[in-house]
Amino acid sequence: MKRSLLIIIVAVLASTALFGGSYLMSRRVCQACVTQSTDNLDWLREEFHLNDTDMARVRELHDGYMPRCAEMCGQIAAKKEELDAELHGATNITPIAKQKLTELAVLRSQCQAQMLEHFVRVSQAMPPEQGRRYLSEMERLTIGSHEQTEQTMSDHAGHMHGEH
Amino acid sequence: MNEENFNPDDAKLSTLLRQSRSAHSLPPRFQESVWRRIEENEAPVAARRGWFEELAARALRPRFALATAVVLVLGGSLFGVREGQQAARRDAQTRYVQSVAPNSLR
């Protein structure tokens, strides 16, 4: 009985090691092979089955959008610094801080609108069905995740109010 | 066969029948071995050997161990490839989304 138990334990350990080892190795090799490319647009080509012509149009739109996106990001970062400076060491929200918050929100909404416009243009450069799927996916990944955060916060706030 | 020709008292026929009988010799301890096999078949499997011992004995068989190892390696590799492809796809998706939608907008 003791010998059998030992054999079974060794067999189970060896099986786990074999399965786990081959799983980890193949996972790593596969992931490394697939993610060799550094092109950010590779995902679009694979996911939405784009041909070279579609990809050329998408790349042109992407390259045109990136400097505008970077410029907006710079403006948002600068406004955040101004707001941080205003809030630093303050014990209450001053009218200037409120104004900075509003300006920051306006900049963010402008940037989001620009981003959504870009998604629409890219979706139009794709075959119709893939374009619809792209637009829906991008809205889910960007605005959708923001809504999810807000939903979580409102649920949490509701829960907190319920405790009072 | 014509039954009229068959006579059981025919001495010639009896001699021929006796001669046709083969005189095979039985292997040594034949009777004992037959009884042993009958008893083994009649006894319940669990009484002969517990399932745990049976499993351990099976694990030691080279053919069984090799087949199990091959199945485990193949299963692990297939599962790993599938997971690796999904992880790579998620990485690529994250890279694209980060490039077009900075974190401050999400």
Side-chain angles (χ1 to χ4, degrees):
Chain A
M1 184 70 181
K2 244 182 183 178
R3 186 172 169 269
S4 299
L5 183 67
L6 191 69
I7 291 167
I8 296 293
I9 289 172
V10 171
V12 167
L13 287 176
S15 302
T16 311
L18 266 179
F19 186 84
S22 47
Y23 164 75
L24 288 174
M25 199 186 289
S26 58
R27 187 181 193 273
R28 185 170 289 186
V29 168
C30 181
Q31 200 174 351
C33 287
V34 177
T35 51
Q36 264 180 349
S37 168
T38 51
D39 189 357
N40 289 338
L41 301 185
D42 267 355
W43 175 69
L44 290 180
R45 184 194 289 274
E46 295 293 323
E47 183 67 28
F48 301 100
H49 317 293
L50 303 181
N51 59 29
D52 289 344
T53 318
D54 298 332
M55 274 308 288
R57 284 201 299 265
V58 169
R59 196 174 294 282
E60 192 182 338
L61 288 167
H62 183 78
D63 292 344
Y65 166 73
M66 289 312 282
R68 285 186 283 128
C69 179
E71 190 190 329
M72 287 300 278
C73 283
Q75 288 179 26
I76 290 171
K79 195 57 72 185
K80 273 173 83 176
E81 276 181 20
E82 288 174 24
L83 178 65
D84 287 344
E86 193 59 36
L87 292 174
H88 184 72
T91 51
N92 58 351
I93 308 293
T94 63
I96 298 171
K98 278 183 185 171
Q99 191 193 335
K100 297 287 177 199
L101 273 169
T102 310
E103 286 170 3
L104 184 61
V106 168
L107 273 176
R108 277 185 175 146
S109 66
Q110 281 174 353
C111 193
Q112 276 182 329
Q114 184 178 275
M115 179 182 74
L116 289 173
E117 278 169 12
H118 170 68
F119 293 156
V120 170
R121 282 197 204 98
V122 171
S123 75
Q124 286 166 351
M126 292 180 179
E129 183 54 39
Q130 300 300 334
R132 274 193 288 275
R133 200 160 67 83
Y134 166 81
L135 198 56
S136 140
E137 185 74 356
M138 292 314 292
E139 282 173 359
R140 183 184 70 81
L141 290 168
T142 54
I143 308 295
S145 64
H146 188 62
E147 282 171 1
Q148 201 175 5
T149 310
E150 285 172 348
Q151 182 66 41
T152 313
M153 285 172 76
S154 67
D155 286 350
H156 183 67
H159 182 68
M160 294 294 279
H161 285 301
E163 282 178 357
H164 289 296
Chain B
M1 188 182 279
N2 192 349
E3 284 186 16
E4 285 173 12
N5 295 335
F6 180 73
N7 181 7
D9 298 330
D10 191 342
K12 200 176 171 184
L13 177 65
S14 299
T15 313
L16 279 170
L17 282 172
R18 265 196 301 276
Q19 281 172 353
S20 70
R21 274 188 196 158
S22 58
H24 288 300
S25 58
L26 293 170
R29 303 174 76 184
F30 174 77
Q31 214 169 350
E32 188 189 330
S33 140
V34 168
W35 278 114
R36 187 170 46 79
R37 287 176 69 177
I38 290 170
E39 279 168 9
E40 276 179 4
N41 280 336
E42 281 175 354
V45 176
R48 274 183 283 155
R49 192 190 254 183
W51 67 270
F52 203 67
E53 280 81 9
E54 186 68 34
L55 190 67
R58 192 167 284 191
L60 288 178
R61 283 184 206 155
R63 202 177 279 185
F64 179 79
L66 186 68
T68 310
V70 168
V71 167
L72 285 169
V73 170
L74 277 177
S77 302
L78 286 175
F79 194 49
V81 165
R82 207 190 67 169
E83 286 288 305
Q85 280 174 339
Q86 283 178 355
R89 188 177 157 270
R90 278 195 301 273
D91 288 351
Q93 184 195 59
T94 307
R95 275 208 316 272
Y96 174 73
V97 174
Q98 278 176 347
S99 75
V100 292
N103 284 335
S104 59
L105 295 183
R106 284 185 274 140

